[in-house]
Amino acid sequence: MFLQGFVPKKAGIHAHSGLARQTRRFLPFLGVLGCQAPGDGLATFHARVLSSPPTVIRVSWRSDEPTRGQVSFAAEGEGSFVTPLESAPTTEHEALLLGMPAGVLVNFAVGDDAGFSASGTILTGHYPASWPSWTVSGERTGGDFLVVGMFGNRDAVVIFDPLGRPVWWREVRGGVVRALPTLDGAGLLAGPGLTADFLWRLGWDGTREDRLPAPGFTHDFVQLDDGQVAYLAEVEHQGSAGPCTSDAITVLGDTVPLWDTWDSFEAASEVCTAREDGTWTHANALDHRDGNYFVGLRNESSIYAIDDVTGLPEGVFRGAEQPSDAFLAQHQFEVLDDGLLVFDNGTAERDSSRVMEYDLGGEGSLAARWSYEADPPLYAFVLGDVHRLDNGNTLVSWGSGGRLQELRPDGSTAWQLDADLGTAFGYVTRMTSFYGGS
């Protein structure tokens, strides 16, 4: 269904071809067409809600003279967003409106670098009723989006707004353990939930789905400011006791790993034997900071610092001054200016996961300075992630526990999202904008 809207004309904007039907009620519909009536000086445009997901709106228009177009938009009663100015003047314009919740009226205005005039309203579609649902309590601080993989009755990547509402989602075969916005603002890079030989590149409009070759990819990857992508890879070796799968850091496009556990442990050919999960050290988390990659080895309960140029180990974090404070079978972590934040999965015997923060002492020794354990206990046997926010709060993904949570320094909960039983969350990425630069 189309809705016809009339607006003051500016900069010679013309309609794309299409049919329109006038109505005085707002109903769920696929598109909006503002039409130019002869002699009344009215501008026209075309807007359409896309099918996957139905929270993305494509707006297009034509101008008499080349201009750099953009669109201002907002959900009814909420703060506004503006799409980036087009890179070059043109008479054929198009913009995607991103970050809108499901089932809301969106007001938008079409314009250029001189201002906005042509406006309309369109209704976004709904989040699928058959997909996992969740409950939200409290209020998140900051205004960023959360990009997270979701596993359960649907394997997907989902983006939540600051209120915990889904604003973008995409079902992905095999699930997604990590997704990062591309630097050009065109979509996401996504790491499959299972060991694969590629990374996904997904477009915001739901039509683009490319595979970037990443032989042996497993668990995690990072994207540097210069666009370089490095990922964790499984590498097959032949040890004295038989075949062995080691873990490596590989730069996308390179054929030789930058670093491999096979080369970093003494007598690797003797000690490298397959565990029940099929790997030796089981690398499951990767980060980058200050010229080093940091890689977490679950089966070693340790985090290694690797020089990002030479591939040489620079140090290792493991254990703690108090044995009961040591992290075990950990997943994601964050290296702070003066410490280390870790999602400590723990073991099935402990049956409780926790967040641990450590001071960094000499020789990589760790002294616990803050911790959080859910009450009642929550055990995440896989996944889990932590982020320190600018205000001192801590963002936590409880992985297979199906919870996202923001904690205050005193351990109280500022915000919490609990998904349906059986739903798990992957690693979390904070994103300030859909349009790049985050």
Side-chain angles (χ1 to χ4, degrees):
M1 180 183 294
F2 291 98
L3 180 70
Q4 180 170 301
F6 297 98
V7 291
K9 183 177 180 181
K10 180 181 178 181
I13 302 175
H14 297 285
H16 285 194
S17 61
L19 299 176
R21 185 170 67 180
Q22 295 189 53
T23 177
R24 294 189 178 184
R25 294 188 302 141
F26 288 113
L27 298 172
F29 52 83
L30 296 177
V32 171
L33 183 66
C35 297
Q36 181 177 0
D40 65 3
L42 300 176
T44 58
F45 52 85
H46 180 258
R48 188 173 186 84
V49 172
L50 304 186
S51 60
S52 180
T55 54
V56 177
I57 303 163
R58 176 176 279 121
V59 180
S60 55
W61 69 100
R62 183 180 300 136
S63 58
D64 289 332
E65 301 293 333
T67 63
R68 297 175 63 201
Q70 61 180 165
V71 180
S72 174
F73 61 102
E76 186 80 16
E78 300 186 20
S80 63
F81 299 85
V82 179
T83 64
L85 278 169
E86 292 170 312
S87 59
T90 181
T91 58
E92 299 287 341
H93 307 273
E94 182 176 283
L96 291 180
L97 312 189
L98 301 163
M100 294 291 95
V104 300
L105 286 172
V106 177
N107 301 310
F108 63 92
V110 173
D112 52 30
D113 49 6
F116 303 95
S117 62
S119 61
T121 301
I122 193 168
L123 182 65
T124 59
H126 293 282
Y127 177 79
S130 61
W131 280 36
S133 59
W134 45 80
T135 58
V136 178
S137 59
E139 185 174 345
R140 275 186 58 215
T141 59
D144 52 7
F145 299 93
L146 300 184
V147 185
V148 61
M150 184 173 68
F151 302 86
N153 72 349
R154 288 292 189 278
D155 291 337
V157 57
V158 179
I159 301 179
F160 295 103
D161 73 2
L163 297 180
R165 300 174 297 184
V167 297
W168 192 92
W169 56 88
R170 177 77 173 272
E171 190 165 9
V172 179
R173 296 184 297 275
V176 168
V177 69
R178 162 83 72 193
L180 300 175
T182 59
L183 298 182
D184 62 3
L188 295 174
L189 291 178
L194 302 174
T195 299
D197 289 323
F198 61 88
L199 295 174
W200 292 110
R201 183 165 55 191
L202 307 173
W204 293 134
D205 65 359
T207 63
R208 182 176 180 180
E209 184 177 285
D210 301 329
R211 293 186 178 191
L212 303 178
F217 170 82
T218 183
H219 283 91
D220 207 2
F221 70 101
V222 294
Q223 181 178 223
L224 307 189
D225 291 340
D226 62 2
Q228 177 176 280
V229 173
Y231 64 95
L232 296 177
E234 293 184 351
V235 181
E236 300 299 323
H237 297 277
Q238 184 64 40
S240 60
C244 173
T245 301
S246 69
D247 294 298
I249 300 173
T250 302
V251 175
L252 198 68
D254 289 354
T255 57
V256 177
L258 175 72
W259 174 80
D260 191 328
T261 53
W262 181 262
D263 303 317
S264 296
F265 289 82
E266 294 182 6
S269 63
E270 285 77 27
V271 301
C272 179
T273 56
R275 302 279 292 254
E276 291 182 0
D277 56 15
T279 64
W280 166 34
T281 50
H282 194 96
N284 61 12
L286 185 65
D287 204 350
H288 183 273
R289 175 189 169 120
D290 300 333
N292 287 313
Y293 291 109
F294 293 88
V295 56
L297 304 182
R298 177 190 182 276
N299 290 350
E300 301 294 315
S301 293
S302 60
I303 298 169
Y304 279 77
I306 308 298
D307 187 284
D308 66 4
V309 176
T310 66
L312 296 175
E314 294 290 314
V316 60
F317 304 121
R318 66 159 64 94
E321 292 181 357
Q322 298 296 322
S324 62
D325 292 334
F327 55 82
L328 298 171
Q330 83 289 343
H331 276 71
Q332 256 298 343
F333 55 87
E334 184 173 301
V335 179
L336 308 173
D337 290 339
D338 61 346
L340 180 68
L341 192 63
V342 181
F343 187 87
D344 175 18
N345 294 74
T347 62
E349 290 74 20
R350 195 175 77 193
D351 198 30
S352 179
S353 299
R354 60 187 181 177
V355 180
M356 296 295 300
E357 183 179 355
Y358 303 93
D359 281 317
L360 301 182
E363 301 300 321
S365 63
L366 302 173
R369 67 187 185 194
W370 183 80
S371 66
Y372 174 82
E373 199 164 352
D375 183 17
L378 184 59
Y379 176 51
F381 62 92
V382 294
L383 299 169
D385 197 0
V386 287
H387 296 265
R388 177 56 44 81
L389 306 181
D390 292 341
N391 64 355
N393 287 2
T394 302
L395 179 67
V396 185
S397 167
W398 290 87
S400 59
R403 175 178 294 170
L404 302 176
Q405 188 176 29
E406 183 179 330
L407 297 168
R408 301 184 183 95
D410 64 3
S412 61
T413 299
W415 174 84
Q416 185 168 303
L417 183 152
D418 284 297
D420 289 342
L421 185 66
T423 301
F425 289 118
Y427 296 151
V428 175
T429 298
R430 296 162 57 206
M431 182 178 75
T432 57
S433 171
F434 275 83
Y435 298 106
S438 60

